Amino acid sequence: MFSPADNPGLAAVGLGWGDLDGPGEPPSPSRTEPVRDMQDWQGRRGYDLAMTFNIQICVDCADAHSQADWWAETLGWVPEPLDQALIDSLLADGTIGPDLLINHNGERRWRDGAAICRQSEVGSPDRLRILFQPVPEPKTAKDRIHLDIHLNGADRDVMRAELEARGATFLYQEEQGPSSWYTMADPEGNEFCIA
């Protein structure tokens, strides 16, 4: 028989079967029968513990649209297109007001955010995406998470010069074993590396 105690992760946080139903919920009837194995337990939960999830990378910034444009050019990606017909419909039925939109590069865009992705992934629900979202506070410390740009054989010094010409700042060079990289900052000061 499988029990939460058989899983060190569940045991470490002190979960029992009652905890798996949800706060304030009585144990479901299936909890009164012994669990045969992990597959039986996963089936009762409604998902596979080995399931993987997609992520979106979010970047806090002052100017979401400028940052999205800068990063799209840097990575060779594109700003995600918006469905202008959907925006017309949402405006017409009063779901949104015009104050939620701006005109950016000749297109209506959401005022409070801009996203980029690879051109080949536009519209795909599984796309890798970076969302830039405005926040009121300025950046005050080193980022705890940063992007590493793998140049795939492109000349790092040429890339550094191109990025600096577009507003990036070179911070320092680092080496570890056979690897070396430049740590840079984007126009708003967010660190990233090129290697």
Side-chain angles (χ1 to χ4, degrees):
M1 296 292 168
F2 173 81
S3 78
D6 295 328
N7 182 317
L10 293 176
V13 295
L15 286 177
W17 282 124
D19 300 312
L20 298 176
D21 285 296
E25 294 179 21
S28 64
S30 65
R31 299 284 187 254
T32 60
E33 299 174 21
V35 175
R36 294 181 301 279
D37 55 26
M38 182 62 104
Q39 185 176 5
D40 181 32
W41 184 60
Q42 290 170 173
R44 294 180 192 204
R45 293 299 303 147
Y47 61 88
D48 181 351
L49 290 178
M51 177 184 345
T52 63
F53 298 96
N54 291 330
I55 64 166
Q56 164 178 271
I57 299 166
C58 298
V59 179
D60 291 350
C61 57
D63 184 339
H65 297 280
S66 293
Q67 281 288 91
D69 290 344
W70 192 88
W71 277 101
E73 184 176 344
T74 297
L75 298 174
W77 291 15
V78 296
E80 286 188 343
L82 294 183
D83 182 341
Q84 298 297 315
L86 174 63
I87 291 175
D88 288 338
S89 172
L90 295 172
L91 286 166
D93 71 13
T95 302
I96 64 168
D99 59 316
L100 295 180
L101 302 167
I102 64 166
N103 186 316
H104 181 74
N105 295 336
E107 272 194 293
R108 288 178 299 183
R109 309 293 283 172
W110 297 116
R111 178 192 66 214
D112 291 333
I116 65 172
C117 67
R118 294 180 183 105
Q119 175 71 48
S120 63
E121 296 179 354
V122 167
S124 168
D126 296 327
R127 69 192 176 279
L128 180 57
R129 168 180 215 247
I130 303 175
L131 173 69
F132 299 89
Q133 52 192 14
V135 295
E137 70 278 357
K139 181 180 179 303
T140 58
K142 182 181 181 300
D143 296 332
R144 296 295 300 263
I145 295 176
H146 67 271
L147 301 180
D148 282 350
I149 301 173
H150 295 258
L151 299 178
N152 297 326
D155 186 285
R156 188 176 52 195
D157 292 315
V158 170
M159 178 61 108
R160 172 185 164 180
E162 290 173 2
L163 292 169
E164 287 175 319
R166 294 183 35 246
T169 304
F170 171 76
L171 299 176
Y172 56 87
Q173 179 176 344
E174 192 67 55
E175 295 181 17
Q176 186 174 31
S179 301
S180 65
W181 60 92
Y182 292 156
T183 298
M184 311 279 294
D186 72 15
E188 288 199 10
N190 298 303
E191 294 90 4
F192 66 97
C193 295
I194 56 174

